[in-house]
Amino acid sequence: MNPRCSTRLPQAYRKDDVRLVRRTTVLIDLLGHHGPMAVLCERWDLSSSCLYDWQRAFLLHGMESLHYRHSGGRRPKLTPRQKKRVVELREAGPQVVGCETACWTSVLLRVLIWREFGVLYKRQYVCTLRHNLGCSLQKARFVSDHLDAAKRLAWLQDTWPAIVRAAKRGEGLLLCEEEASCAQWGA
């Protein structure tokens, strides 16, 4: 037996590798206690095909079967070079690529990727992609001028009286209006 294999279970415990510890425990239960398959499936919340697969792999490959490998998955739609280009374009800013705003959103990044590379992602995945590329979600924090006592006093003592004087000189009418808008960065 490979000495590296015999140390896998203690290593799994030390690394807190729950998957490997569970698989090993299930195999001990399956092979050592010879319990009914239906009972084992219910106890471990696994399908019988999964248990049979684990059992077959262990019987064929021994301790080597207790090693998890990356199973692959779908090939990425963007190449590493294209991902690097996305990061460069994102860092340059949306205005450089023709957008009218100064803030990136997942929808804008989605459109950018579609225009540049012909790859259409779902908006939700663009958030994951952005995170995987090392970009963090940031929200701007705004502080209103009316919270600064010195600026507020200066406006009341200097700016507002100058506006009133200019209106009186030109026989103008001062209208005050409440402005309502939706912030681009969310509420």
Side-chain angles (χ1 to χ4, degrees):
M1 180 188 296
N2 185 342
R4 204 177 84 227
C5 296
S6 63
T7 61
R8 288 232 171 95
L9 186 58
Q11 286 175 353
Y13 275 114
R14 281 194 300 276
K15 291 181 181 177
D16 201 23
D17 187 350
V18 177
R19 294 183 314 164
L20 186 57
V21 170
R22 180 177 187 222
R23 184 170 177 166
T24 307
T25 309
V26 169
L27 282 169
I28 291 169
D29 202 10
L30 177 67
L31 299 171
H33 300 121
H34 305 291
M37 188 59 75
V39 172
L40 293 174
C41 290
E42 188 175 327
R43 178 183 300 155
W44 295 104
D45 192 27
L46 294 168
S47 68
S48 59
S49 64
C50 177
L51 290 177
Y52 283 125
D53 288 345
W54 287 1
Q55 181 182 25
R56 185 177 58 253
F58 183 75
L59 293 174
L60 290 175
H61 305 290
M63 294 296 282
E64 279 297 318
S65 70
L66 299 178
H67 179 67
Y68 278 99
R69 292 167 190 83
H70 179 62
S71 60
R74 179 186 287 179
R75 291 181 59 217
K77 292 181 180 180
L78 293 178
T79 66
R81 180 179 287 163
Q82 290 172 329
K83 288 179 182 178
K84 185 177 178 183
R85 180 72 178 140
V86 169
V87 171
E88 290 170 358
L89 291 171
R90 186 198 55 82
E91 288 174 354
Q95 292 171 329
V96 172
V97 294
C99 298
E100 295 179 5
T101 180
C103 298
W104 281 113
T105 64
S106 57
V107 174
L108 286 177
L109 279 172
R110 181 178 186 235
V111 170
L112 172 72
I113 292 169
W114 171 251
R115 279 194 319 199
E116 291 288 320
F117 309 110
V119 174
L120 186 61
Y121 284 122
K122 290 188 175 185
R123 183 183 56 84
Q124 294 85 351
Y125 178 72
V126 172
C127 297
T128 303
L129 177 66
R130 185 194 66 223
H131 177 74
N132 292 342
L133 295 176
C135 310
S136 63
L137 175 64
Q138 297 178 357
K139 289 188 177 183
R141 190 175 65 190
F142 295 91
V143 178
S144 179
D145 285 344
H146 78 275
L147 297 178
D148 186 348
K151 286 184 179 181
R152 187 175 62 238
L153 187 60
W155 191 87
L156 286 172
Q157 290 179 347
D158 302 326
T159 308
W160 177 245
I163 293 171
V164 171
R165 282 192 301 274
K168 285 181 182 176
R169 271 194 313 268
E171 295 180 11
L173 177 64
L174 289 177
L175 298 173
C176 295
E177 181 180 344
E178 177 66 27
E179 182 181 320
S181 65
C182 292
Q184 179 178 341
W185 49 88

